[in-house]
Every structure is written in C-alpha cells, then in structure tokens.
Amino acid sequence: MVIGTKYETVIGLEVHAQLLTRSKMFCACPAEYVQGEPNTVVCPVCLALPGVLPVINRRAVECVIMTGLALNADIAGSTQFHRKNYPYPDLMKGYQISQYDEPIASGGWLTIDVDGERKRIGVARVHLEEDVAKLQHRQDPGGDGYSLVDVNRSGIPLMETVSEPDIRSPEEARQYLMSLRAILQYLGVSTGNMEDGSFRCDANVSIRPAGSTELFTRTEIKNMNSLRAVYRALEYEVERQTKVVEEGGQVVQETRGWVEERGVTMSQRTKEFAHDYRYFPEPDLPPLSVSREWVEELRAGLPELPGARRDRFVSEYSLSAYDAGLLTASKDTADYFEESLQAGDSKTEILPAKAKAIANWMMGDMAGLLNASGIELEDARITPHALRNFTDLIDSGVISGPAAKAVFEEMFRSGRGAMAIAEEQGLTQLNDDSQLRDAVERVIQGNSQAVQDYLGGKETAIKFLLGQVMKETRGRANPASVTQLLEENLKAGAKG
C-alpha cells in the first residue's frame, strides 16, 4: 500500500491459534474449558503450584508440524522450549513456556489473491507455547474497578505463526488471515474462530518512504477480534503514523490497543524487546527431537488443502477461479458443496451447469439467509442432498425459476423438501398445454396496446406480455413455452 506516492506500508502479523487437543499443553486437564465454571478446569500444573513438572503434549507438537508442512516450512530436527519472563496478573507462573530461537517450523510461505493477482507472503516461524489465564474486568456499584482471574484457559496449547513483513496493505492482511485460517481448519488443528478467541491476531505496522528497503519504527496493535477489526485498525494506524511523520514527529515503538467503539488505536505500553523477556531454556523440559520418520508420517496424512481444492474445483467442475475461491475458503462450505453435487445419481456425469447452479444458490440465496439469520452453514436446515434435489427439480421443469426463490426460502425456514413445498403452495411448474394456451389468450386479449406494439415491430413488447402470463400463472408457467405460445398467437393474429 503506497500512501500517495511518498510512503509505503509494511505489515507483519503474529497469529495465535488455540489447538484442538484433548488436554492442555503441559498437563492432563481437559482442553475444553469454555463451558466450565471459573477456576474449575485446573490442576497443580496450570495453577503453577510449587514442585510441579510440565509434560509436553505430543498432539500439540504434531499440530504445529502439520501446520509447518502446510505452510511449506522447514521442520527442525531438534527444538527447545524456553521461559519467557514477564509479570502480568494472567500469567500464573510469572513466566510463559514458549519457544525462542529454536521453533518447530521456520522459513515457510503461503499465497494470497488480491485484485486478481497472486502474492507470496513469507512465514518466518511457527512455534508452540501455552495460553495464559483470562482476566475479567468488573466495576462495583460504587464505581471502583477490580479484576477477576479465571485460570481455566491457562495452559491451553497455543500455536503462534509469525509472518515476514511482506504485507503491504490492510486488504493483504485480511487475505493472509483468511488463507491461514482456512489452512488450519482444513488441517483440523484449530477452529479458527476469532470471536471466541481461538484465533487471535497482533499486527506490527510501520510506514517508510516509497522505494526504501529500511524497516522504520513500528507499532504493535492488539485487541482485534474480527477480520473487519484488523482491517479498520490497520487503516487507522497507517493514517495516524503518516500524520505523525508529516507533522515532523517520530513514531514511537509501543503497543497500542484497538478500540472498536471509537475506531481508534490507543497507547497501552512501550513495546518490549526480546531481551526484556529474559528468555532462557526451560529447565524442566529437555530438548525435543523431531525425527524425519515422524515428519514424513504426518506429511503423508495431510488432507487436501484450500489452494489445491480450489484448483481442483476449477479443473474438475469448470467453476471460475472466483467461485472456487469463495467455496473453498471454508472447509465446511467446500464439503457441503461437494456433498450436494455428488448427492444425485452417481452414474450421471457431473455437468458444469449443475456445479454452477449449486454454487450460485449457496453463494447467493443461501449465504443471504444464513447471514440474516445469524447461523452457520452447518446449522442450516437445508441439507446438501435437499439442495441437490431442489436444483434437479428446477432443471427438470417441475419448479420454475420465478417460484424457486419462494420454495427455497420455505426450505430454509422449515427444513422440508422442495417437492412437498411446491405442491402444497401450488408452485409446481404449469406444463398443461391447454392451461398455458388459456392464460396466453387472456393476456393477449387484455393487453391490446402491447400486442399492437409487438405487431408494429417493437419486439421487446413480448417481454411485457410474458411477464403478464407469469403473473397470471403465479410464476408457474415455463417461460420458454409461454414465449413460444405468445409468438404463435401473435403471428396468427397478424395474419388473420
């Protein structure tokens, strides 16, 4: 992002993703803590009681290795956990077990698509650490504030993915996060849900003179809990830093928080440097060896990833790159699409027109209804099989295009099948030739001006007459059949 022609934006992202493991990172406590009462999903290890020893969660390590492989990164043969020291009320031990100079994965990349162009964003490292406790800030009736500590989240496996400073705009940042989240969801290592804190992002942003390769003073932005918040926070911070520089000031290295209600970033504290954390190897955990056999076993088990699935949708189903990208951005959406597409007669070849029809209903009416209802696709009452059956009824002429929308909305509301709804509401397509002829004759007799316009050479007048017949039949008539009957009647009338 070049601001005018003077400055260039430089952005790096640090993404923390809670991992889908059965237990916490260094103890046997259940990793499912959200529904528990405060401070009930705890043990001496995550409470940091004296004398306890951590034990590494093997599945968490595997999740990071799988992510590193999916991000084209190098997997270390040996890795080490460190103590990251900083005093904060939500850090039970007074330090966090993390990784410093020996991460599990490093030197990777992923690709994003922005404005029709594909760009590679470097991934500096993927490492493993433990989550911290959660503070709840309250205020009593007298106006005094206080904080409560819920330790349930403490010790949850947390994977941090750090990008290179290759991102040049808020839109590129958003696309990077969407791509990374999709990869984690496809791998099954994280829900990728930003709203509940399972997928959290901190951004480092700076500006520099256009054409310069020097990294300028950056600020870190926290407290962004949605893709929209990340985009808005980066836009604001770039504008703020530009104003500071233009007015002769100097950008201060600090941590700033995004205030959603006001649409601004606010200073929280001066930014720490690595030496401020006084990293040193975790004495209670030995170095961890990662064998090539283990890595290759995990590589062999990797699922089809979003990029490969997108390309397959283009080649196998003849979808556009845009449609394929939308469908594969979420694993649930891509799975629903393919299940619907393959729900018909297995002996019947899947035609591009069928794939396009199902994609259109999913990305159009279905997406709109889901958004308005505030529910996820997995909770929709229209099953993949029901959607396939619905589109088949349209293709076979049982349900007409104008009536299809009403049928689909009722399917979404009630979960009932398309045929039952269409028959109950009289929305099956009218194919009785005598009924169609009667409707056409009534419309011709009642719209003499349009008839005269058509006979006078105004061919578009037939569209008006078609619309009147569709209205007459409550959208049940086949438009192609009606058009043919209109033309026959009008030509016969002209000869008579």
Side-chain angles (χ1 to χ4, degrees), residues 5 11 27-28 40 42 132 222 237 250 278 375 389 422 426 448 485:
T5 56
I11 299 170
C27 67
T40 58
V42 296
V132 297
K222 290 182 175 290
E237 186 59 20
Q250 186 172 0
R278 304 188 315 282
I375 64 175
N389 179 252
S448 57
L485 288 172

Side-chain angles (χ1 to χ4, degrees), residues 335-344 354 357-358 361-362 366 377 380-395 399 404 407-422:
D335 287 347
Y336 186 104
F337 168 77
E338 289 212 281
E339 188 176 341
S340 179
L341 196 56
Q342 296 164 4
K354 174 58 66 176
I358 291 175
W361 281 102
M362 286 184 62
M366 176 82 88
L377 180 61
R381 293 183 174 181
I382 301 179
T383 65
H385 188 277
L387 177 58
R388 172 61 190 253
N389 179 252
F390 168 72
T391 58
D392 286 346
L393 291 175
I394 295 174
D395 291 344
I399 301 175
V407 172
F408 191 82
E409 289 176 353
E410 178 59 22
M411 289 173 64
F412 185 88
R413 187 190 69 79
S414 67
R416 297 171 61 208
M419 191 64 187
I421 294 170

Side-chain angles (χ1 to χ4, degrees), residues 38-52:
N39 300 314
T40 58
V41 189
V42 296
C43 73
V45 175
C46 45
L47 284 170
L49 298 184
V52 297

Side-chain angles (χ1 to χ4, degrees), residues 158-173:
L158 201 62
M159 177 175 66
E160 182 172 359
T161 304
V162 182
S163 82
E164 297 286 1
D166 295 339
I167 300 169
R168 293 292 174 266
S169 72
E171 180 58 29
E172 287 188 10

Side-chain angles (χ1 to χ4, degrees), residues 182-203:
I183 289 172
L184 302 188
Q185 290 173 338
Y186 273 68
L187 291 172
V189 302
S190 176
T191 64
N193 192 334
M194 295 190 77
E195 286 69 27
D196 65 10
S198 300
F199 188 79
R200 312 196 290 268
C201 172
D202 299 334

